[in-house]
Amino acid sequence: MGEFIAEMQERLLPEYEQMKHYNVFTPDQVREIVSRRERLFLKITKSHLAVGDYLEFIVYEKQMYKTLSDKEKMMHIKLTGLKNSISIRIMRLYREVLSKFTHDRRLWSNWIKFSKKSGPQEVAGIYEKMLLYHGDDPNFWVDAALWLYEYNRLNIDRVKDILLRGLQRHPDSEALNKCFFDILLKEAARADPEKNLADNTLSEQDIKLERVEAVYRNSMENITSLDYFVKLLESCEDHHEITLKLQRLIIDDMQEKFPREPGLWDLAAQRELRGYHLGDADEEPDNNEEEPASKKSRSAPNTRSLKRRIQLCVTVYKSAVEVLQTQDMWTLYLDAMLALNSDGKAERALKQQCLADALQDGHRSKLMHVRHYAILRKMLSSAPSGREAAVTILTEALKNDASVEMHQLLLGTHVQNDSESLIHEMFNKFQRTMGPEALPLWQMVILYYRTRQDSLGRKRLEDIYKIATASTWPSFSELRSDYLRYLWHAESVDAARTEYAKLALQPPMSLQLHRTMAQLESSLAVRVCKPFYAQVYI
């Protein structure tokens, strides 16, 4: 430690000379810098070291580096020597602190982040050291491989070595396997499809594609997640012309492993929409079986019109809901049709027809989610002629889904149609058959009758409030408070006070009831006081 400090202090002397020579800082500022660094050196030489002591020094040097960069712009001079000296010191501080506190992952990450900007040639070595202590995290192996590959793609052998060592420790890591797959796929895409290696009948590209396939087959033994296969297919789509055979292989494996997984069918349908037709992988330019795989698959993908792609997509979804017959599959189908209609510039009529057909078929299946019934109701209710159809459909749906949300949809449609008799009939039904979860429905009915402002509305409202206030469900205390406010404003103050006296003794007790009454009484007191003060000022 003593030698390390002494060496670093010796290196500071030329820095101070350069600061004075270039007039970067005033003499007083240089003395302050010297004093500050001496204090920082003392902290990292004490017997009981802490990570914070080194971090304080590193942060100070980073701030000094930034200050010098700003000075360069202001003074129009180059301070490369000073900045390089500070960068070297920061690197040495990181190396020193991490030799003592190897467990601190954040420190390793900060060192790498700094080195990528100031000394990228050092990053690979830093990663290797970090992996010795933190190789239990597969993401570090991925980060190391990606950095080395992007920094210098000629290091592909070293990249492969890092990934293979990482996979020995984490064979079931999706991130590691996909990283290996992606890098080898990029290498295959860069390879010459016409160049043969020695006496090999396969091209350089074909050989590299076989390596990609080998990585894929090896990962299958340890990974069984559908999302992993989906990500591999997405990577293949970026190099569609050379990966048709590989895509076909992955899709076949997915169909074998996940035949009844809604996500698989959704993926197949979305690929059709993007133009990646499943049958393309089976098409070959000729019958020459000895032709390399990459040359067979290098034919351009079939170009289809948007109309045809939409039709193929819908066909897959229709097959899916017929095979699976689950609400999850119907939800994926309907969400896809809604997303398709979010962009109505091209093939607008076809997209709208596909959505209408999907909603109609979803209703017939009795598996459509209430969220999609809400969309269907909105579409039908936009035209007066469609409101009756909405009532019919929602009434049928309510027989299979008696949720509060479905009741709200039907009740809201009746309110929109001003069908008082149907609203009252529906209220009588759910107030007998449903419990406290129906509170939103009670509130909808109360709001409807309060806005009618006729004799029938007042009579119905009084009857509903009487039933509600007699309820023993704690959540219905909100309706008791609402009833007091109604009486206070619509009837009379005395009527509200009389009802409050009754409800205050009726269980379950509610603090909200007393607060509501107190607010009403205080509002009356304010109204009474205002004329009095007006007379005084007059």
Side-chain angles (χ1 to χ4, degrees):
M1 171 61 75
E3 295 178 359
F4 166 72
I5 299 298
E7 182 183 351
M8 290 189 69
Q9 287 177 326
E10 287 180 9
R11 287 176 177 270
L12 288 173
L13 297 177
E15 283 186 37
Y16 299 142
E17 293 297 328
Q18 290 184 58
M19 289 179 184
K20 294 176 182 178
H21 175 73
Y22 289 109
N23 292 320
V24 178
F25 299 106
T26 65
D28 289 340
Q29 288 175 327
V30 173
R31 281 192 291 272
E32 175 60 28
I33 292 170
V34 173
S35 176
R36 178 71 185 276
R37 279 175 171 163
E38 286 180 353
R39 290 197 299 272
L40 291 170
F41 273 121
L42 285 174
K43 284 188 175 182
I44 62 174
T45 55
K46 62 185 182 182
S47 57
H48 299 289
L49 289 174
V51 175
D53 297 328
Y54 281 94
L55 285 179
E56 185 181 357
F57 206 156
I58 290 171
V59 168
Y60 176 76
E61 293 296 345
K62 285 183 177 180
Q63 290 172 344
M64 180 63 68
Y65 187 94
K66 184 178 183 302
T67 301
L68 291 174
S69 298
D70 295 339
K71 294 278 187 180
E72 279 184 325
K73 297 176 183 177
M74 292 171 56
M75 302 173 65
H76 304 288
I77 58 174
K78 291 292 183 182
L79 302 173
T80 307
L82 275 172
K83 290 168 67 177
N84 286 341
S85 180
I86 292 175
S87 294
I88 293 171
R89 181 159 49 256
I90 293 173
M91 293 286 285
R92 296 200 66 180
L93 285 168
Y94 269 122
R95 190 175 287 111
E96 186 70 17
V97 66
L98 282 168
S99 67
K100 297 176 173 60
F101 303 96
T102 57
H103 65 280
D104 196 319
R105 298 190 178 191
R106 187 180 61 176
L107 264 180
W108 285 102
S109 298
N110 289 339
W111 186 16
I112 289 171
K113 182 179 179 181
F114 175 78
S115 300
K116 285 179 179 179
K117 295 180 180 179
S118 60
Q121 70 280 359
E122 303 286 341
V123 175
I126 298 172
Y127 268 121
E128 289 287 0
K129 290 179 181 178
M130 181 181 68
L131 291 173
L132 292 175
Y133 299 102
H134 302 289
D136 57 318
D137 188 341
N139 290 321
F140 287 152
W141 294 93
V142 172
D143 292 343
L146 287 176
W147 162 257
L148 194 59
Y149 183 67
E150 295 299 330
Y151 178 64
N152 186 356
R153 296 199 173 188
L154 295 178
N155 288 327
I156 185 63
D157 290 334
R158 191 174 178 184
V159 172
K160 290 178 183 177
D161 176 67
I162 290 174
L163 289 170
L164 286 171
R165 284 189 286 130
L167 286 171
Q168 286 178 346
R169 295 190 64 174
H170 309 281
D172 58 347
S173 168
E174 293 184 19
L176 261 174
N177 278 283
K178 185 178 182 299
C179 178
F180 205 176
F181 181 92
D182 288 345
I183 288 176
L184 292 184
L185 186 55
K186 289 179 182 178
E187 287 296 299
R190 294 173 60 205
D192 189 346
E194 305 297 334
K195 179 182 177 181
N196 288 1
L197 302 178
D199 297 331
N200 203 322
T201 58
L202 297 177
S203 71
E204 179 185 10
Q205 188 173 79
D206 292 317
I207 292 173
K208 292 190 174 183
L209 282 172
E210 287 184 351
R211 292 171 183 168
V212 178
E213 184 177 330
V215 170
Y216 163 68
R217 291 188 181 278
N218 183 67
S219 67
M220 280 184 58
E221 299 176 3
N222 303 295
I223 300 175
T224 58
S225 168
L226 175 63
D227 289 340
Y228 172 71
F229 291 87
V230 171
K231 291 174 183 176
L232 294 189
L233 273 180
E234 290 174 351
S235 297
C236 289
E237 289 177 8
D238 294 334
H239 308 280
H240 181 71
E241 294 79 3
I242 65 171
T243 59
L244 286 176
K245 177 186 172 184
L246 183 57
Q247 289 183 59
R248 176 77 258 187
L249 174 63
I250 296 173
I251 291 171
D252 287 343
D253 290 337
M254 292 173 72
Q255 289 175 335
E256 181 181 346
K257 288 177 173 289
F258 314 101
R260 299 192 63 81
E261 182 64 44
L264 172 62
W265 290 89
D266 184 54
L267 169 70
Q270 290 298 318
R271 278 174 57 84
E272 295 288 354
L273 187 60
R274 294 196 297 271
Y276 301 110
H277 181 52
L278 188 61
D280 291 346
D282 298 324
E283 296 179 4
E284 297 179 2
D286 53 46
N287 296 323
N288 185 5
E289 294 296 331
E290 296 181 358
E291 189 174 8
S294 64
K295 294 180 182 179
K296 290 180 181 179
S297 62
R298 203 169 293 114
S299 57
N302 290 331
T303 55
R304 296 175 178 81
S305 65
L306 176 61
K307 179 178 180 180
R308 182 57 181 156
R309 286 188 278 123
I310 292 173
Q311 290 171 341
L312 289 170
C313 170
V314 171
T315 299
V316 174
Y317 275 122
K318 286 184 175 180
S319 299
V321 294
E322 184 178 346
V323 171
L324 298 187
Q325 297 182 4
T326 62
Q327 189 178 71
D328 288 343
M329 190 65 248
W330 274 105
T331 297
L332 289 171
Y333 177 18
L334 292 165
D335 284 344
M337 294 301 100
L338 288 169
L340 193 62
N341 276 266
S342 63
D343 180 11
K345 295 180 180 179
E347 298 292 346
R348 182 176 181 179
L350 175 61
K351 293 176 181 178
Q352 290 178 342
Q353 185 61 48
C354 290
L355 175 58
D357 291 344
L359 289 169
Q360 186 177 21
D361 292 341
H363 170 62
R364 289 173 181 168
S365 72
K366 301 179 181 180
L367 294 170
M368 193 161 79
H369 194 273
V370 65
R371 175 166 57 88
H372 295 115
Y373 274 109
I375 295 169
L376 178 57
R377 170 186 173 268
K378 184 177 180 181
M379 292 171 60
L380 292 173
S381 299
S382 59
S385 58
R387 293 178 182 177
E388 291 301 323
V391 170
T392 302
I393 290 173
L394 292 173
T395 302
E396 293 174 356
L398 197 60
K399 296 176 183 177
N400 302 302
D401 180 5
S403 64
V404 173
E405 292 80 7
M406 190 65 76
H407 277 86
Q408 284 179 303
L409 288 178
L410 180 55
L411 186 58
T413 308
H414 288 325
V415 170
Q416 190 175 15
N417 296 339
D418 196 19
S419 304
E420 191 280 329
S421 59
L422 294 176
I423 293 173
H424 191 251
E425 179 185 344
M426 193 172 177
F427 167 76
N428 287 331
K429 184 175 181 180
F430 70 67
Q431 69 97 5
R432 291 195 309 268
T433 59
M434 300 180 73
E437 71 278 4
L439 177 61
L441 302 177
W442 286 73
Q443 292 170 329
M444 285 181 68
V445 174
I446 288 171
L447 180 60
Y448 168 73
Y449 282 118
R450 288 187 68 166
T451 56
R452 279 183 63 93
Q453 296 183 350
D454 58 9
S455 58
L456 178 60
R458 287 192 291 272
K459 181 180 181 303
R460 298 284 199 208
L461 196 59
E462 191 67 28
D463 294 340
I464 293 170
Y465 271 131
K466 290 298 183 184
I467 299 172
T469 55
S471 171
T472 57
W473 292 315
S475 59
F476 271 49
S477 61
E478 184 177 343
L479 295 182
R480 293 185 179 184
S481 300
D482 190 51
Y483 185 37
L484 285 183
R485 285 190 289 266
Y486 167 72
L487 291 176
W488 186 278
H489 297 295
E491 297 294 332
S492 66
V493 172
D494 291 337
R497 288 171 174 168
T498 301
E499 187 63 27
Y500 167 71
K502 296 177 183 177
L503 295 177
L505 302 175
Q506 182 178 318
M509 302 303 174
S510 169
L511 180 60
Q512 183 181 359
L513 179 72
H514 303 296
R515 284 175 175 169
T516 300
M517 194 61 195
Q519 290 170 357
L520 292 172
E521 293 288 3
S522 62
S523 67
L524 179 63
V526 170
R527 289 200 301 271
V528 170
C529 289
K530 280 184 179 179
F532 170 77
Y533 285 116
Q535 291 175 5
V536 169
Y537 283 111
I538 291 172

